[in-house]
């Protein structure tokens, strides 16, 4: 009774301590709260230093025991027009293998283990990123390792052969997955930017796995792995210390492929073409078992948006959030994102649709806003009609409530993602690589807050004047022709042509 005496004497919100005070008013007699505030904004800004060889060093001070440091290279599948397709995919798999200093991947992992570190490499269409998270006290070792991995890889015959096997296995797995989203993303990019830049395949084609060897890789590396195309980014370390390590390990270093010039760098600007890519595929056996996923046909329709360097990028990001969507039964059960348009107008009204999700891909010179939908093969024609109608409705009236909800959700997602140190690292590196500077979260939130209904209508109107890009996978017996989809997107209500509906 003594231990519970204090608690027993307290009055809680359900009690009668302040029965007449509204929850929106401060309680009488309670001192006013004093909240902590940042001393100055400058200490949280991203600092950038350019070394004599053109390498950019960027850091974000974030307190803690661990740091994330990495090298980002302006290189990716979009730059492979003059080379065999798939080189970036090879480099991603070969990362953190043997180097001039380290005899094997095991030696690298043991070195990182001393500092509690982990490593990773990711290749995208426009960037290759080598990253390490480790104890901040091991920064010197980490930068030394990153420099060696990037500029001094051995690329032994055994490692290249193992990479060939890994890529072949990954390509087989890609075609067997129940979730076709990675495959559809490749297809929609190939349809939207046919045979150029971001439309080039991110994965190595099977026929190229035996053609890529050390000579091909060195030729590519000599062109694109140059200091002026690199950023050394770090989060959780002092900027001066990072610059000192960069000068020590990345300034004046002779790469393993020599200092001779490779082929000229591909500076092509993305050319949007539109078009359709269809893959007839039996999807009946992709998910067997006691509760198999039903056979579905997947459609992705996209239109060109804008680059992330343009002012319209923020309105497009808000529009993508406003469309939202997802699977009819995703993790956690129904109810998430229930106010987005693709939930309200599509999934809630058409029970036979298994998925309707909006995606926005953006690059330095272009972008792509697309909607992925899945349904039974017999419902394909109606599904395409519904999705095209949603594109048309984007240009209609935008409610103040739904716009404010989308903006709030976008800001919330931005801030929650930036709670993660590796995400901050990637944001710092990518922004500095593209613009030599970085917009801080509060600046982006201010830009999001300024988006008006007229901005959404303006960007949608501009987008709808383009030819659509279409990717289709599965049983495509009832798929409308590309001309009918294009005609539906240019009509007022997004419906397929009447004659098509009557005589199909």
């Amino acid at each position: 009774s003594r231990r519970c005496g204090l608690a027993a004497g307290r009055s809680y919100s359900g009690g009668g301590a302040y029965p007449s005070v509204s929850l929106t008013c401060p309680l009488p007699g309670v001192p006013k709260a004093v909240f902590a505030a940042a001393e100055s904004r400058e200490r949280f800004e991203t600092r950038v230093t350019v070394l004599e060889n053109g390498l950019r060093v960027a850091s974000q001070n974030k307190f803690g025991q661990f740091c994330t440091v990495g090298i980002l290279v302006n290189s990716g599948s979009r730059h492979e027009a003059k080379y065999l397709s798939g080189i970036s995919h090879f480099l991603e798999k070969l990362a953190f293998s043997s180097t001039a200093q380290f005899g094997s991947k095991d030696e690298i992992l043991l070195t990182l283990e001393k500092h509690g570190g982990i490593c990773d490499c990711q290749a995208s269409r426009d960037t290759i990123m080598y990253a390490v998270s480790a104890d901040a006290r091991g920064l010197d070792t980490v930068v030394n390792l990153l420099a060696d991995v990037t500029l001094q890889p051995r690329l032994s015959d055994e490692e290249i052969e193992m990479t060939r096997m890994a890529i072949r296995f990954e390509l087989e797995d890609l075609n067997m997955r129940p979730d076709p989203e990675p495959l559809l993303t490749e297809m929609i990019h190939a349809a939207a930017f046919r045979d150029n830049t971001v439309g080039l395949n991110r994965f190595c084609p099977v026929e190229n796995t035996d053609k890529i060897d050390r000579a091909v890789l060195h030729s590519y590396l000599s062109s694109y792995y140059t200091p002026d195309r690199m950023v050394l980014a770090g989060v959780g370390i002092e900027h001066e210390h990072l610059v000192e390590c960069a000068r020590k390990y990345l300034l004046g270093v002779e790469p393993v492929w020599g200092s001779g010039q490779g082929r000229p760098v591909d500076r092509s600007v993305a050319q949007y073409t539109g078009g359709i890519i269809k893959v007839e595929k039996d999807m009946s056996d992709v998910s067997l078992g006691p509760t198999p996923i039903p056979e579905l046909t997947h459609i992705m329709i996209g239109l060109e948006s804008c680059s992330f360097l343009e002012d319209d990028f923020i309105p497009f990001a808000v529009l993508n959030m406003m469309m939202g969507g997802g699977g009819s039964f995703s993790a956690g059960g129904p109810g998430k994102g229930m106010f987005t348009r693709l939930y309200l107008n599509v999934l809630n009204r058409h029970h036979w649709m298994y998925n309707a999700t909006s995606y926005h891909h953006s690059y330095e010179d272009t972008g792509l806003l697309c909607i992925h939908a899945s349904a039974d093969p017999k419902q394909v024609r109606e599904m395409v009609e519904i999705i095209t109608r949603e594109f048309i409705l984007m240009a209609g009236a935008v409610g103040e409530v739904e716009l404010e909800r989308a903006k709030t959700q976008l800001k919330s997602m931005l801030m929650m993602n930036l709670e993660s140190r590796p995400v901050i690292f990637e944001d710092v590196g990518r922004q500095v690589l593209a613009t030599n500077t970085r917009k801080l979260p509060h600046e982006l939130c201010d830009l999001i807050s300024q988006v008006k209904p007229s901005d959404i209508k303006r960007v949608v109107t501009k987008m709808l004047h383009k030819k659509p890009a279409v990717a289709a996978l599965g049983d495509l017996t009832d798929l409308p022709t590309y001309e009918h989809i294009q005609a539906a997107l240019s009509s007022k209500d997004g419906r397929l042509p009447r004659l098509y509906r009557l005589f199909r």
Side-chain angles (χ1 to χ4, degrees):
S1 60
R2 287 181 183 176
R3 290 171 62 188
C4 300
L6 181 62
R10 288 177 180 165
S11 295
Y12 294 95
S13 57
Y18 301 100
S20 60
V21 179
S22 168
L23 291 176
T24 59
C25 299
L27 297 176
V30 176
K32 188 176 179 180
V34 178
F35 297 99
E39 295 176 12
S40 66
R41 184 162 276 165
E42 286 70 24
R43 66 190 302 178
F44 301 106
E45 287 183 355
T46 302
R47 297 180 61 185
V48 181
T49 299
V50 182
L51 302 187
E52 293 82 345
N53 61 356
L55 176 78
R56 285 157 287 180
V57 182
S59 72
Q60 180 79 28
N61 197 357
K62 184 175 175 64
F63 303 104
Q65 182 181 348
F66 284 83
C67 66
T68 299
V69 183
I71 293 177
L72 293 91
V73 189
N74 186 6
S75 158
S77 59
R78 69 169 295 164
H79 300 104
E80 293 174 2
K82 300 175 183 178
Y83 292 88
L84 285 170
S85 175
I87 292 177
S88 300
H89 195 186
F90 258 78
L91 291 173
E92 179 186 48
K93 299 296 179 190
L94 284 164
F96 295 99
S97 296
S98 63
T99 68
Q101 291 184 45
F102 302 93
S104 66
K105 177 171 279 192
D106 289 340
E107 282 190 34
I108 289 176
L109 295 178
L110 284 170
T111 302
L112 288 175
E113 194 176 298
K114 295 173 184 176
H115 301 284
I118 56 173
C119 60
D120 187 30
C121 177
Q122 293 180 6
S124 62
R125 286 185 156 75
D126 51 2
T127 310
I128 293 181
M129 179 175 65
Y130 302 82
V132 171
S133 287
D135 193 303
R137 291 171 292 187
L139 180 64
D140 193 273
T141 302
V142 166
V143 176
N144 179 27
L145 189 151
L146 284 167
D148 216 42
V149 163
T150 310
L151 300 175
Q152 305 286 334
R154 285 186 182 173
L155 305 178
S156 68
D157 292 338
E158 184 184 356
E159 289 169 346
I160 291 175
E161 187 56 41
M162 289 294 291
T163 299
R164 289 190 181 116
M165 292 172 59
I167 287 175
R168 289 190 193 109
F169 177 79
E170 186 176 347
L171 293 175
E172 287 179 18
D173 179 64
L174 194 66
N175 289 310
M176 294 170 61
R177 281 187 187 180
D179 174 24
E181 197 270 327
L183 204 57
L184 281 166
T185 300
E186 291 304 306
M187 291 167 64
I188 196 74
H189 278 83
F193 306 92
R194 193 172 289 273
D195 299 327
N196 75 93
T197 57
V198 294
L200 300 177
N201 200 332
R202 193 168 65 86
F203 298 103
C204 180
V206 177
E207 61 271 17
N208 284 358
T209 52
D210 289 327
K211 298 176 184 176
I212 295 175
D213 55 20
R214 188 190 297 109
V216 172
L217 294 171
H218 277 185
S219 174
Y220 181 86
L221 290 167
S222 64
S223 294
Y224 290 96
Y225 277 46
T226 55
D228 58 301
R229 298 178 66 85
M230 292 181 178
V231 168
L232 173 66
V235 177
I237 34 78
E238 294 293 336
H239 184 73
E240 290 76 13
H241 191 185
L242 186 62
V243 172
E244 179 187 333
C245 291
R247 290 186 182 279
K248 185 176 179 182
Y249 298 112
L250 288 161
L251 193 61
V253 176
E254 177 80 8
V256 71
W257 49 84
S259 56
Q261 288 295 317
R263 299 184 191 180
V265 171
D266 182 14
R267 302 188 186 278
S268 303
V269 176
Q271 302 296 318
Y272 181 82
T273 60
I276 184 168
I277 289 185
K278 300 186 289 185
V279 176
E280 288 270 1
K281 186 179 178 185
D282 181 8
M283 305 287 283
S284 60
D285 59 349
V286 294
S287 179
L288 303 175
T291 55
I293 295 174
E295 180 183 358
L296 300 175
T297 294
H298 302 271
I299 306 293
M300 194 175 274
I301 300 176
L303 291 165
E304 187 180 24
S305 58
C306 73
S307 129
F308 58 71
L309 299 176
E310 297 178 46
D311 293 337
D312 284 342
F313 171 69
I314 298 295
F316 268 116
V318 174
L319 172 65
N320 179 56
M321 193 61 64
M322 196 167 71
M323 297 306 295
S328 54
F329 287 95
S330 50
K336 303 176 303 302
M338 59 189 295
F339 292 106
T340 62
R341 285 193 180 186
L342 291 180
Y343 263 105
L344 288 173
N345 302 342
V346 179
L347 293 170
N348 286 351
R349 295 184 182 181
H350 307 284
H351 62 89
W352 45 267
M353 286 191 69
Y354 283 81
N355 188 13
T357 311
S358 176
Y359 296 95
H360 187 217
H361 307 277
S362 197
Y363 307 95
E364 280 191 45
D365 50 0
T366 188
L368 191 65
L369 182 78
C370 44
I371 295 176
H372 168 209
S374 307
D376 187 274
K378 296 176 183 177
Q379 305 278 7
V380 169
R381 184 196 60 78
E382 192 175 353
M383 174 172 67
V384 170
E385 187 174 310
I386 289 166
I387 296 305
T388 52
R389 193 182 306 144
E390 285 305 309
F391 272 107
I392 299 296
L393 290 173
M394 288 181 192
V398 178
E400 241 355 283
V401 173
E402 73 168 338
L403 181 62
E404 286 303 315
R405 180 182 285 115
K407 292 196 291 187
T408 303
Q409 195 173 350
L410 181 59
K411 287 188 279 189
S412 172
M413 185 176 292
L414 171 70
M415 300 308 290
M416 288 187 71
N417 284 337
L418 290 174
E419 285 290 308
S420 167
R421 189 182 60 250
V423 174
I424 299 176
F425 155 76
E426 187 172 347
D427 183 48
V428 169
R430 286 184 180 276
Q431 286 202 50
V432 172
L433 194 63
T435 66
N436 296 321
T437 185
R438 179 187 179 226
K439 282 184 178 174
L440 293 176
H442 72 272
E443 297 176 79
L444 294 172
C445 287
D446 289 343
L447 292 172
I448 293 169
S449 298
Q450 293 168 20
V451 174
K452 301 173 183 175
S454 58
D455 297 322
I456 302 293
K457 190 166 185 177
R458 185 188 73 253
V459 298
V460 171
T461 303
K462 184 169 68 172
M463 181 176 67
L464 287 173
H465 281 104
K466 305 289 179 66
K467 290 172 61 178
V470 182
L473 177 68
D475 181 350
L476 308 179
T477 307
D478 292 334
L479 177 70
T481 65
Y482 178 75
E483 289 73 22
H484 284 111
I485 297 173
Q486 188 175 358
L489 278 169
S490 60
S491 67
K492 291 184 179 180
D493 61 358
R495 292 180 181 274
L496 296 174
R498 184 171 179 272
L499 287 175
Y500 173 81
R501 296 202 303 275
L502 288 175
F503 299 110
R504 177 63 176 170

